[in-house]
Amino acid sequence: MTDSDTAPKKILIVTAHPEPRSLNASLSAFAADELRAAGHEVRTSDLYAMKWKATVDADDFPDHSPEDRLAVMPASERATTANRLTPDVAAEQEKVLWSDALILQFPMWWFSAPAILKGWIDRVFTAGFGYGPLLPPPYSEGALGGRRALISVTLGARESSFSDRGIHGRLTDVLHPLQHGLFWFAGIAPLEPFALYGIDTDLPQDRVEAAKHAYARRLSTLFTDTPVPYRTLTGGAYDHDMRLLPNAEREGTSGLDLHIAAP
Amino acid sequence: MTDSDTAPKKILIVTAHPEPRSLNASLSAFAADELRAAGHEVRTSDLYAMKWKATVDADDFPDHSPEDRLAVMPASERATTANRLTPDVAAEQEKVLWSDALILQFPMWWFSAPAILKGWIDRVFTAGFGYGPLLPPPYSEGALGGRRALISVTLGARESSFSDRGIHGRLTDVLHPLQHGLFWFAGIAPLEPFALYGIDTDLPQDRVEAAKHAYARRLSTLFTDTPVPYRTLTGGAYDHDMRLLPNAEREGTSGLDLHIAAP
């Protein structure tokens, strides 16, 4: 461990659960306490408490004229470049830029993030901020390089059902749109997700404590764990059409694992 | 083709784009015209035009007491069973039940559906409607069996980047949370998605016409195309922990393809 691994860091925790007394809310509060106790700085975005607007629409772009056809990508890029985003979006972008690590805390709903969190992503990661022609190439240093991200997710299902041969698909494949499609696309290095399975409504207190204990262990290595070693777009493994070159995969890999560089 | 393939059917088209003059909006209007011209009945849910509420919260459950901790799954199941959902959700459930086929029309944003559409899924597919212990097992006849679904998606990226070796992942894997996690989980048979790649803001009119032509062809076989042959949970291929049995996969398959029964 180097000095920079143990130096105080800045963490943004984004939480998406409607109930302040939920396990998700308590895991986020617990993480904030743990990380602060370890000397780090923490900021939070509790999306339900903030009454976060989930939907991208014309109101997001104050300079967009209502008579004009709304093309989201160009409107998003113009507003970002001109510093004319709405205050709520600008505030979240500032938090992301401030952070060394991002934690997304959410319950899995229909095999992805709750809509309010998807709306945080859709609205905050604007063209010119999270992606776009004015930025470094995706899947590399990207727009937001130098940061890492941890998904902390609760699931009602059993772990076996999200295992390699589980019917829901491997958790890592189900979360690919976030891990690779959002984080890694924007240059943020994703860690293996922290997943709590079999989460019922009335979780016994001993299981809550066990969950916090396990989460504390994961948080203690937030800045030393090796991120998922996704390939960079610019590292020579892809052709000009963004396809992995013939025989570039590790032996025996297929599917989404093609895009992982090391075992 | 049997009689039942050519008999008039009922189709629900759900659209998620903020601009009424967008390609997405025009594809949905085009689909409605085409399907009606073929003798089918069509209903639509234009989520932005409806100002669809994207976020699941306590207001979704009128019988939920604000003093009580909101546990979403039980609250959702109680409200569904007691016929005490909000009118907007009840109306969408009625449309889904009415339909023989569901079309979701959306632009790919951050490798998944726009938040407003995720919020339609989160709010409409309640426990007791789309999933839950009171319903038939998932990934089988399911809650909503006998229906089929088509995703019609526009993407800015090139087709190669979503191909087998494309860096974004295969489109079928990226859409797994919807195709397998939503539709097939609830018993709805998903068709291969209809995808339009390289969609720029100002698409030349000849490309719009070509897109409509291709879409018309797909729509003409909406009720005769073979759905993606996902495995059923109850068909004998999975163990009691919902894992695919050893050696049950087709030779050479791995990843999310494990859950497809035939080539």
Side-chain angles (χ1 to χ4, degrees):
Chain A
M1 219 185 284
T2 66
D3 260 13
S4 75
D5 294 330
T6 54
K9 302 276 188 182
K10 295 170 176 139
I11 300 107
L12 172 60
I13 304 177
V14 182
T15 310
H17 198 288
E19 172 54 59
R21 292 157 290 185
S22 63
L23 177 63
N24 276 270
S26 80
L27 288 171
S28 281
F30 175 77
D33 289 346
E34 286 286 306
L35 292 165
R36 286 183 180 127
H40 302 303
E41 285 182 73
V42 176
R43 292 167 77 183
T44 59
S45 294
D46 181 346
L47 300 182
Y48 275 94
M50 295 158 71
K51 299 189 191 303
W52 180 258
K53 171 180 180 273
T55 297
V56 172
D57 59 24
D59 293 342
D60 283 4
F61 312 112
D63 293 340
H64 173 76
S65 155
E67 289 84 54
D68 288 344
R69 188 166 167 269
L70 176 63
V72 175
M73 205 277 211
S76 171
E77 188 162 55
R78 274 194 302 271
T80 304
T81 309
N83 231 338
R84 291 280 296 156
L85 292 162
T86 58
D88 60 345
V89 169
E92 295 304 299
Q93 289 189 345
E94 187 271 320
K95 288 176 176 176
V96 171
L97 291 175
W98 166 88
S99 72
D100 299 305
L102 200 57
I103 297 178
L104 301 189
Q105 176 71 54
F106 61 92
M108 184 88 96
W109 286 357
W110 287 110
F111 301 92
S112 59
I116 198 170
L117 178 52
K118 182 64 199 329
W120 183 81
I121 294 165
D122 287 347
R123 295 187 63 230
V124 173
F125 289 75
T126 58
F129 180 80
Y131 73 106
L134 306 177
L135 297 171
Y139 302 121
S140 301
E141 72 274 31
L144 298 165
R147 293 171 179 79
R148 42 181 57 207
L150 175 68
I151 287 174
S152 173
V153 62
T154 62
L155 306 99
R158 287 169 282 177
E159 183 163 3
S160 61
S161 64
F162 278 98
S163 65
D164 275 10
R165 301 176 71 83
I167 192 166
H168 300 317
R170 291 188 312 172
L171 184 66
T172 188
D173 290 341
V174 172
L175 292 177
H176 179 87
L178 289 171
Q179 292 277 90
H180 187 269
L182 173 67
F183 296 140
W184 185 233
F185 187 98
I188 302 175
L191 302 169
E192 288 295 336
F194 177 71
L196 294 173
Y197 294 95
I199 299 306
D200 284 332
T201 304
D202 292 307
L203 208 62
Q205 195 54 35
D206 63 324
R207 283 207 54 207
V208 174
E209 293 309 318
K212 287 182 178 173
H213 192 73
Y215 195 23
R217 277 201 311 273
R218 275 305 298 277
L219 292 168
S220 72
T221 57
L222 183 60
F223 292 99
T224 52
D225 281 343
T226 304
V228 180
Y230 287 126
R231 298 178 191 279
T232 60
L233 175 61
T234 51
Y238 295 93
D239 67 18
H240 287 294
D241 291 319
M242 301 175 84
R243 283 180 304 228
L244 190 66
L245 291 167
N247 305 312
E249 64 263 41
R250 290 179 294 118
E251 200 177 321
T253 54
S254 63
L256 295 172
D257 283 351
L258 290 180
H259 308 290
I260 297 180
Chain B
M1 218 185 282
T2 66
D3 260 12
S4 77
D5 293 330
T6 53
K9 303 276 188 181
K10 296 169 176 140
I11 300 107
L12 172 60
I13 304 176
V14 182
T15 310
H17 198 288
E19 172 54 60
R21 290 158 290 184
S22 63
L23 177 63
N24 275 268
S26 80
L27 288 172
S28 281
F30 176 77
D33 288 347
E34 286 286 307
L35 292 165
R36 285 182 180 128
H40 302 304
E41 284 182 74
V42 176
R43 292 168 76 184
T44 59
S45 294
D46 181 346
L47 300 181
Y48 275 93
M50 295 159 71
K51 299 187 190 304
W52 181 257
K53 171 180 180 272
T55 299
V56 172
D57 59 24
D59 293 342
D60 284 4
F61 314 113
D63 293 340
H64 173 76
S65 155
E67 290 84 54
D68 288 344
R69 186 167 167 271
L70 175 63
V72 175
M73 205 276 214
S76 170
E77 188 163 53
R78 273 195 302 272
T80 305
T81 309
N83 231 337
R84 290 281 293 156
L85 292 163
T86 56
D88 59 345
V89 170
E92 295 304 299
Q93 290 190 346
E94 188 269 320
K95 288 177 177 174
V96 172
L97 291 175
W98 167 87
S99 72
D100 300 305
L102 200 58
I103 296 177
L104 301 189
Q105 176 70 54
F106 61 93
M108 185 87 97
W109 287 356
W110 287 111
F111 302 92
S112 58
I116 199 169
L117 177 53
K118 182 64 197 334
W120 183 82
I121 294 165
D122 287 348
R123 295 186 62 231
V124 173
F125 289 76
T126 59
F129 180 80
Y131 73 106
L134 307 177
L135 297 172
Y139 303 120
S140 303
E141 71 274 30
L144 297 166
R147 291 171 180 78
R148 43 181 56 208
L150 175 68
I151 287 174
S152 173
V153 63
T154 61
L155 306 99
R158 284 170 284 177
E159 181 161 6
S160 61
S161 63
F162 278 99
S163 66
D164 275 11
R165 301 176 71 82
I167 193 166
H168 300 317
R170 291 189 309 172
L171 184 67
T172 188
D173 290 342
V174 172
L175 291 177
H176 179 87
L178 289 171
Q179 291 277 88
H180 187 269
L182 173 67
F183 296 140
W184 186 232
F185 187 97
I188 302 173
L191 302 169
E192 289 295 339
F194 177 71
L196 293 173
Y197 295 94
I199 299 305
D200 285 331
T201 304
D202 292 308
L203 208 62
Q205 194 55 35
D206 63 325
R207 284 207 54 208
V208 174
E209 293 309 317
K212 287 183 179 172
H213 192 72
Y215 195 25
R217 277 201 310 274
R218 274 306 298 276
L219 291 168
S220 72
T221 56
L222 183 60
F223 291 99
T224 51
D225 281 342
T226 305
V228 180
Y230 287 127
R231 297 178 190 280
T232 60
L233 176 61
T234 52
Y238 294 93
D239 67 19
H240 287 296
D241 291 319
M242 300 174 85
R243 282 180 303 229
L244 190 67
L245 292 168
N247 306 313
E249 64 262 41
R250 288 179 295 119
E251 201 177 320
T253 55
S254 63
L256 295 171
D257 283 350
L258 290 180
H259 308 291
I260 297 181

